């Protein structure tokens, strides 16, 4: 039996996806039985040259985690695509831009001012900021420029499979290992474009009791709720939860702990825009209760009471949202 | 690539930025000795801007993504800040659960660093080919130790997940408490795993004693001048200057002789800390304000200070748990007294802290309030004070999260000083000192160059944290060129 050659490449990432793979714990030893890691810079001492030196298509499976945040990220993604038979977008950032893509929103302040000039713990009377080129003792020291956007992997290369989650939960990674095992033994793979996670919404697997009608006049922060009923649907208790718009697959990790979902598995297959889906889900849930009582204005008011709707409804998917395409890139 | 205007320059740098967040450039003088060294962090993500306009309770669900290796400290420090934004003291059960999260995390992080990254340097000999100096190499050479390490780290992760929903990117800590308590049954499982971590902690110190302490070459390396620095040390301390990772916000600073230089509450950090900016790196240089920034030099006149495991043990007077206290005494005996200035001693200190964490986790799980039912306070917006500083001891040192909010609790300003950033100046100087030892009169060899790698790796610098932004890669992949641009060595920094 030939082992699979697997490469794990990364872009704008926190490395939580690497830790998630390590969280297979003892099972990582089973993985090593069917897999040869030919590239995994976070966990092992390989270098990009090792990946470049491989023949095109020599890597069986290329995993990519992190968003595309720099030109270099884009370049490494393209190298991975060229070397790999199959490319998997691994984790929320590679799937949708993830939390890094919140940086794509328009901000009034400039990043260098916030960090190097306005920070209260910074003493910088000269207004020094990092420069792409500094001459020190006759030597030019260089720094790369900072980028403006973070995007999903499929915005720059063709992607075969998707494993969402922030980070992907261990049962999903075990599914990936099973798929690798079948690939080794039989040479077969799931249909292109498959998402390795649940196919329903989180509500279907959350396990909390859903009342027939859900009614609320405002949303509360978790610390404002008097008592959280551990068995009742969070939305019906006025706690904002993205369950109705989010893909299943986590088993309700957050909701089982009285914490509203923020959508790290992204939307289901049928939905393009996660945030719009959530707003429409809220509207339809409300309509059930109030039928004709709610006017559009009143609905708008309810949404307005959510303190940070963009950062909440698009916590992990701003990079692929329709609204992010409406505003021009900010200049640094 | 750096321009090589002077033939007497050794550059240690990534050939491209593809794999790197940092690079090192060493300048030689005409005699071929080290004139200066620059440790450049080449990434910035600007998280402080990123959280503006978001409710504080949502910010502490976002900040863990600063780092997937240490998400718990970036959940707990902003939570402590959020408690203060609301002016609330969480119930005892919440504090016990939060401290368990913090310590489970220390165990995970220290095991990952020591067994996967540091131990290969000590015991696997000269690195000859890629893919050998890692946990798989350790697994082949010391299978029992590797298995025990995988299990203990796995248990630590499980404990965090039982309380935080997920170990990587926890979600349950909220202003004023925690969203859900644990059951008595869960507590019993946590207790059993904690007891196993104590046993693993003892094993780790035994392994270190057998493979490093009893090996004269290893101890000579630890004691060599290349790895000694005369700096101030900073850590949070508990009552009577005890080791404390979560509860206290009292920060203590000692000088290099061990004398107390300052003791302050974290909310007053601006009176004691300042950050210097250099144009050649994205990472700022924190320093002691009352001593001042004197550049990248050590000694009593330089405001440079160090944090992380050995710094913590240098700053505290004692450890409250017996086995770790004893292990610490043995460590200082081995290092020739306290405070110890050995950069490589940070690894030994990590092992002491794994043992402490296990012992303290047992204490926490044995407290009947651990599974208490009062685990949060109900808060209202009229309680909002508008400002809070949260500080904890993260695995890599003191972590400060400072927020200002509007009346609704939305963040208007954020300032974060992460553990690795505190050590920035010290890392630069450690690299320079190691370079001074390795390059004499223009002569240097491969083994000497390897020492540079160990110098910065000892700090376990977490560059994802340090750049606390969302557009970055962690590994430091560097290549060393001689003055003729021939590649002579490659250095790696994983995770």
């Amino acid at each position: 039996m030939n082992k699979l050659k697997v490469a794990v490449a990364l872009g704008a990432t926190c490395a939580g996806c690497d830790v998630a793979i390590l969280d297979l714990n003892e099972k990582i030893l089973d993985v090593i039985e069917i897999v040869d890691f030919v590239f995994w810079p976070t966990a092992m001492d390989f270098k990009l040259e090792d990946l470049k030196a491989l023949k095109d298509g020599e890597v069986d499976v290329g995993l990519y985690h992190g968003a595309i945040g720099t030109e270099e990220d884009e370049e490494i993604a393209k190298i991975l695509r060229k070397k790999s038979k199959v490319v998997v977008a691994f984790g929320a950032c590679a799937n949708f831009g993830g939390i890094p893509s919140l940086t794509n929103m328009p901000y009034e302040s400039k990043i260098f001012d916030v960090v190097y000039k306005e920070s209260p713990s910074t003493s910088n009377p000269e207004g020094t900021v990092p420069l792409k080129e500094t001459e020190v003792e006759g030597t030019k020291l260089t720094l790369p420029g900072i980028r403006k956007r973070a995007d999903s992997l499929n915005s720059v290369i063709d992607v075969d499979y998707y494993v969402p989650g922030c980070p992907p939960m261990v049962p999903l990674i075990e599914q990936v290992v099973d798929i690798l095992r079948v690939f080794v033994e039989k040479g077969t793979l799931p249909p292109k474009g498959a998402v390795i996670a649940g196919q329903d919404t989180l509500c279907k697997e959350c396990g909390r009791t859903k009342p027939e009608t859900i009614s609320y006049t405002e949303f509360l922060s978790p610390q404002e709720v008097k008592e959280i009923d551990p068995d009742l649907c969070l939305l019906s208790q006025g706690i904002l939860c993205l369950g109705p718009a989010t893909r299943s697959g986590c088993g309700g990790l957050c909701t089982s702990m009285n914490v509203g979902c923020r959508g790290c598995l992204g939307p289901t297959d049928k939905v393009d825009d996660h945030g719009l889906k959530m707003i429409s889900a809220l509207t339809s849930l409300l309509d059930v209760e109030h039928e004709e009582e709610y006017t559009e204005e009143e609905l708008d008011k309810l949404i307005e009471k959510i303190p940070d709707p963009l950062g909440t409804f698009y916590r992990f998917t701003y990079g692929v949202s329709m609204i992010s395409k409406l505003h021009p890139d900010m200049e640094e | 690539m750096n321009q090589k205007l002077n033939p007497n320059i050794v550059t240690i740098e990534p050939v491209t930025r593809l794999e790197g967040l940092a690079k090192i450039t060493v300048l030689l003088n005409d005699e071929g000795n080290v004139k200066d060294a620059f440790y450049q962090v080449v990434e910035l993500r600007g998280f402080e801007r990123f959280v503006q306009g978001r409710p504080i309770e949502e910010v502490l669900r976002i900040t863990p993504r600063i780092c997937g290796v240490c998400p718990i400290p970036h959940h707990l420090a902003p939570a402590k800040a959020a408690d203060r934004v609301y002016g609330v003291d969480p119930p005892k059960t919440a504090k016990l659960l939060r401290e368990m999260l913090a310590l489970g995390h220390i165990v995970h992080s220290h095991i990952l660093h020591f067994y996967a990254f540091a131990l290969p340097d000590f015991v696997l000999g000269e690195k000859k080919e890629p893919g050998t100096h890692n946990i798989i190499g350790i697994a082949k050479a010391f299978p029992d130790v590797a298995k025990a390490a995988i299990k203990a780290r796995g248990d630590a992760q499980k404990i965090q997940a039982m309380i935080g929903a997920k170990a990587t990117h926890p979600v349950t800590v909220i202003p004023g408490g925690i969203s859900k308590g644990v059951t008595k049954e869960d507590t019993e499982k946590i207790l059993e795993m904690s007891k196993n971590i104590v046993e693993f902690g003892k094993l780790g110190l035994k392994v270190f004693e057998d493979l490093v302490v009893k090996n004269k070459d290893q101890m000579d390396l630890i004691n060599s001048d290349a790895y000694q620095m005369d700096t101030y040390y900073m850590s949070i301390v508990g009552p009577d200057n005890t080791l404390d990772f979560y509860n206290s916000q009292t920060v203590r600073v000692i000088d290099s002789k061990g004398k107390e230089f300052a003791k302050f509450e974290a909310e007053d950090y601006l009176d004691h800390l300042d950050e210097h900016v250099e144009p050649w790196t994205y990472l700022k240089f924190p320093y002691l304000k009352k001593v001042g920034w004197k550049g990248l030099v050590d000694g009593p006149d330089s405001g440079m200070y160090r944090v992380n495991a050995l710094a913590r043990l240098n700053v505290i007077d004692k450890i409250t748990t017996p086995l770790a206290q004893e292990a610490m005494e043995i460590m200082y005996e081995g290092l020739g007294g306290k405070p110890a200035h050995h950069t490589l001693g940070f690894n030994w200190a990590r092992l002491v802290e794994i043992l402490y964490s296990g012992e303290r986790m047992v204490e926490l799980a044995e407290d009947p309030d651990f599974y208490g039912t009062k685990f949060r306070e109900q808060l209202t917006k009229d309680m909002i004070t508008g400002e809070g500083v949260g500080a904890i001891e993260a695995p890599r040192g003191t972590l400060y999260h400072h927020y200002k909010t509007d009346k609704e609790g939305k963040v208007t300003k954020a300032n974060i000083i992460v553990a690795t950033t505190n050590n920035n100046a010290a890392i630069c100087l450690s690299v320079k000192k190691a370079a001074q030892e390795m390059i004499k009169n223009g002569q240097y060899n491969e083994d000497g160059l390897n020492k540079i790698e160990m110098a910065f790796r000892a700090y376990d610098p977490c560059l994802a944290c340090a750049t606390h932004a969302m557009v970055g890669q962690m590994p430091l992949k560097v290549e060393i060129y001689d003055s003729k641009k021939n590649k002579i060595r490659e250095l790696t920094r994983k995770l």
Side-chain angles (χ1 to χ4, degrees):
Chain A
M1 186 179 78
N2 284 329
K3 282 188 175 184
L4 288 180
K5 286 186 180 166
V6 172
V8 185
L10 54 148
T13 185
C14 70
C17 287
D18 295 306
V19 174
I21 297 171
L22 295 176
D23 283 345
L24 287 167
N25 293 328
E26 297 84 357
K27 288 178 191 149
I28 194 102
L29 302 172
D30 300 341
V31 173
I32 290 165
E33 275 180 19
I34 58 167
V35 160
D36 264 335
F37 287 104
V38 293
F39 183 66
W40 190 4
T42 315
M44 299 167 83
D45 42 350
F46 288 110
K47 61 186 195 298
L48 190 67
E49 276 62 31
D50 297 321
L51 182 64
K52 280 183 179 166
L54 298 170
K55 291 199 266 302
D56 289 359
E58 191 180 344
V59 175
D60 294 299
V61 179
L63 260 61
Y64 188 96
H65 66 81
I68 304 295
T70 65
E71 283 162 21
E72 288 86 348
D73 295 340
E74 186 173 338
E75 195 181 335
I76 200 170
K78 285 176 177 164
I79 294 168
L80 185 74
R81 177 68 272 182
K82 213 166 133 194
K83 301 294 176 189
S84 307
K85 293 187 184 81
V86 169
V87 168
V88 181
F90 193 81
C93 299
N95 278 257
F96 326 112
I99 289 216
S101 68
L102 289 176
T103 205
N104 302 359
M105 287 184 188
Y107 295 91
E108 282 174 14
S109 52
K110 290 199 154 105
I111 208 166
F112 272 24
D113 290 347
V114 172
V115 176
Y116 300 110
K117 294 178 183 170
E118 295 162 9
S119 148
S121 58
T122 300
S123 168
N124 189 6
E126 314 271 306
T128 305
V129 292
L131 301 170
K132 285 188 186 179
E133 203 171 272
T134 311
E135 193 164 316
V136 181
E137 297 172 53
T139 305
K140 275 185 186 153
L141 301 175
T142 59
L143 290 174
I146 296 300
R147 291 281 304 253
K148 300 161 204 154
R149 284 185 61 88
D151 288 309
S152 64
L153 180 62
N154 67 4
S155 70
V156 296
I157 62 165
D158 185 42
V159 172
D160 298 294
Y161 302 106
Y162 297 86
V163 186
C166 184
M169 299 80 201
V170 167
L172 302 185
I173 301 174
E174 287 172 351
Q175 278 187 48
V176 174
V177 175
D178 289 342
I179 289 169
L180 295 180
R181 194 170 284 121
V182 172
F183 190 28
V184 169
E185 289 167 1
K186 299 183 181 158
T188 55
L189 284 165
K192 186 175 160 83
V195 178
I196 315 301
Q199 303 304 317
D200 287 320
T201 62
L202 173 63
C203 291
K204 296 274 165 56
E205 68 173 5
C206 148
R208 285 177 172 267
T209 313
K210 319 281 179 302
E212 278 195 18
T213 54
I214 290 176
S215 72
Y216 35 78
T217 49
E218 61 174 335
F219 292 107
L220 294 170
S221 298
Q223 69 271 19
E224 294 174 324
V225 182
K226 185 167 187 222
E227 202 157 334
I228 303 175
D229 183 324
D231 301 317
L232 187 65
C233 167
L234 292 168
L235 269 174
S236 69
Q237 301 184 55
I239 297 171
L240 191 60
C241 177
L242 268 62
T246 300
R247 183 184 288 276
S248 59
C250 63
L253 281 177
C254 298
T255 54
S256 71
M257 297 297 278
N258 296 339
V259 174
C261 170
R262 288 295 173 267
C264 75
L265 285 164
T268 57
D269 279 345
K270 299 175 190 105
V271 175
D272 284 334
D273 194 286
H274 198 183
L276 285 181
K277 172 67 187 169
M278 187 59 210
I279 291 168
S280 90
L282 283 179
T283 310
S284 66
L285 286 173
L286 277 175
D287 282 348
V288 172
E289 166 73 353
H290 294 275
E291 299 273 342
E292 291 148 33
E293 292 169 31
Y294 262 99
T295 63
E296 218 164 277
E297 258 177 37
E298 284 168 328
L299 275 172
D300 284 349
K301 269 190 190 162
L302 183 72
I303 302 291
E304 265 173 32
K305 280 189 185 167
I306 297 168
D308 174 30
L310 284 186
T312 308
F313 294 141
Y314 294 102
R315 178 67 52 83
F316 295 92
T317 61
Y318 195 78
V320 294
S321 68
M322 288 193 236
I323 193 165
S324 76
K325 296 177 181 108
L326 297 179
H327 58 78
D329 287 349
M330 300 289 287
E331 290 295 323
E332 286 302 344
Chain B
M1 295 211 4
N2 286 342
Q3 306 259 327
K4 292 175 182 62
L5 302 177
N6 180 327
N8 291 331
I9 297 170
V10 182
T11 59
I12 307 169
E13 60 182 354
V15 171
T16 71
R17 265 201 63 238
L18 281 168
E19 298 169 284
L21 257 187
K23 58 182 177 181
I24 294 166
T25 304
V26 180
L27 308 184
L28 306 185
N29 61 19
D30 289 344
E31 287 75 44
N33 291 318
V34 173
K35 189 165 68 177
D36 219 334
F38 297 92
Y39 168 81
Q40 296 175 266
V41 172
V42 297
E43 183 62 85
L44 166 81
R45 299 180 294 171
F47 206 85
E48 287 92 339
R49 182 180 68 167
F50 206 85
V51 297
Q52 286 176 8
R54 312 200 192 285
I56 185 78
E57 68 275 11
E58 294 293 327
V59 166
L60 57 100
R61 293 187 68 173
I62 293 172
T63 47
R65 272 79 180 187
I66 286 174
C67 178
V69 181
C70 44
I72 295 270
H74 288 296
H75 191 44
L76 292 174
K80 290 179 79 177
D83 293 340
R84 285 156 177 84
V85 164
Y86 276 92
V88 63
D89 189 29
K92 184 183 171 193
T93 296
K95 289 181 185 168
L96 294 173
L97 291 168
R98 288 177 176 193
E99 186 177 359
M100 181 63 86
L101 276 177
L103 295 173
H105 179 73
I106 293 289
V107 172
H108 141 78
S109 177
H110 279 4
I111 288 178
L112 195 60
H113 178 78
F114 183 77
Y115 290 92
F117 306 144
L119 197 57
D121 275 344
F122 280 114
V123 300
L124 293 180
E126 186 74 13
K127 179 163 37 177
K128 292 192 177 71
E129 54 183 302
T132 55
H133 264 215
N134 52 43
I135 187 68
I136 294 170
I138 291 288
K140 281 182 186 154
F142 307 96
D144 294 344
V145 173
K147 270 187 197 158
I150 288 172
K151 183 174 186 318
R153 196 197 72 89
D155 283 352
Q157 292 287 82
K158 266 181 219 152
I159 291 169
Q160 294 167 71
M162 286 166 83
I163 299 167
K166 304 182 292 172
T168 305
H169 305 328
V171 297
T172 55
V173 179
I174 56 176
I178 193 159
S179 66
K180 195 175 181 182
V182 292
T183 61
K184 195 170 178 214
E185 291 69 42
D186 281 346
T187 303
E188 279 159 11
K189 286 180 201 154
I190 291 171
L191 179 59
E192 195 191 320
M193 288 190 276
S194 300
K195 284 178 177 169
N196 287 338
I197 289 168
V198 174
E199 292 309 308
F200 176 75
K202 289 193 233 168
L203 173 74
L205 284 154
K206 174 93 172 53
V207 167
F208 192 79
E209 188 187 336
D210 290 347
L211 296 177
V212 179
V213 180
K214 286 181 181 167
N215 180 322
K216 188 178 175 298
D217 290 346
Q218 302 284 5
M219 285 311 289
D220 284 350
L221 186 67
I222 289 174
N223 287 319
S224 68
D225 285 346
Y227 298 111
Q228 306 290 318
M229 292 230 314
D230 182 1
T231 65
Y232 292 86
Y233 296 96
M234 174 189 291
S235 174
I236 288 173
V237 292
D240 300 325
N241 297 332
T242 49
L243 185 61
D244 181 9
F245 285 90
Y246 170 76
N247 287 297
S248 170
Q249 295 224 115
T250 304
V251 180
R252 186 174 193 233
V253 180
I254 59 161
D255 66 18
S256 67
K257 303 279 183 279
K259 190 167 160 266
E260 182 173 295
F261 174 77
K263 199 168 181 180
F264 59 91
E265 291 304 305
E267 65 199 45
D268 299 324
Y269 79 109
L270 291 174
D271 295 337
H272 296 271
L273 300 182
D274 240 340
E275 293 180 283
H276 173 77
V277 182
E278 284 285 344
W280 46 266
T281 178
Y282 284 117
L283 198 56
K284 294 187 279 189
F285 296 89
Y287 60 93
L288 297 170
K289 202 171 188 170
K290 290 177 182 168
V291 185
W293 175 254
K294 303 287 157 57
L296 297 170
V297 292
D298 61 353
D301 298 330
S302 169
M304 176 187 298
Y305 61 92
R306 292 197 279 179
V307 299
N308 201 325
L310 184 63
R312 271 191 291 267
L313 300 189
N314 279 341
V315 168
I316 62 161
D317 287 339
K318 63 178 182 235
I319 295 179
T320 51
T321 61
L323 295 176
Q325 169 67 25
E326 190 189 334
M328 178 172 73
E329 286 166 14
I330 292 169
M331 180 191 86
Y332 279 118
E333 211 170 292
L335 293 175
K338 184 179 178 179
H341 307 297
H342 309 58
T343 301
L344 296 181
F346 280 84
N347 287 310
W348 200 341
R350 279 184 192 103
L351 297 175
V352 174
E353 290 188 342
I354 291 172
L355 183 56
Y356 163 77
S357 298
E359 287 184 286
R360 178 66 185 147
M361 287 160 75
V362 169
E363 288 177 3
L364 293 170
E366 282 177 340
D367 189 323
D369 285 327
F370 189 76
Y371 52 90
T373 51
K374 169 80 176 157
F375 44 77
R376 66 187 192 91
E377 302 288 349
Q378 187 187 5
L379 309 179
T380 52
K381 294 228 159 52
D382 57 17
M383 298 165 75
I384 290 172
T385 65
E387 188 166 0
V389 175
I392 69 164
E393 280 297 315
R396 291 159 189 80
T398 317
L399 169 66
Y400 299 87
H401 275 240
H402 179 191
Y403 297 97
K404 286 188 178 169
T405 73
D406 64 14
K407 285 180 201 155
E408 298 293 307
K410 276 198 212 175
V411 168
T412 53
K413 296 262 182 211
N415 193 43
I416 303 170
I417 302 179
V418 304
T420 291
T421 306
N422 287 304
N423 274 336
N424 189 19
I427 292 171
C428 289
L429 186 59
S430 286
V431 164
K432 183 176 169 182
K433 288 209 172 202
Q436 281 169 335
E437 283 294 307
M438 82 178 187
I439 304 171
K440 292 269 167 76
N441 303 321
Q443 301 292 309
Y444 48 91
N445 61 31
E446 195 156 322
D447 183 50
L449 293 176
N450 192 37
K451 285 181 178 169
I452 289 191
E453 182 177 15
M454 291 178 75
F456 66 78
R457 188 179 280 173
Y459 293 94
D460 191 13
C462 183
L463 299 175
C465 279
T467 59
H468 48 281
M470 284 295 155
V471 197
Q473 298 137 325
M474 295 258 251
L476 166 65
K477 183 75 78 172
V478 297
E479 293 185 347
I480 302 178
Y481 290 80
D482 65 14
S483 57
K484 296 185 182 69
K485 298 194 181 184
N486 298 314
K487 186 164 81 172
I488 53 171
R489 177 78 186 173
E490 194 173 273
L491 305 180
T492 322
R493 151 73 205 159
K494 290 150 288 185
L495 275 180

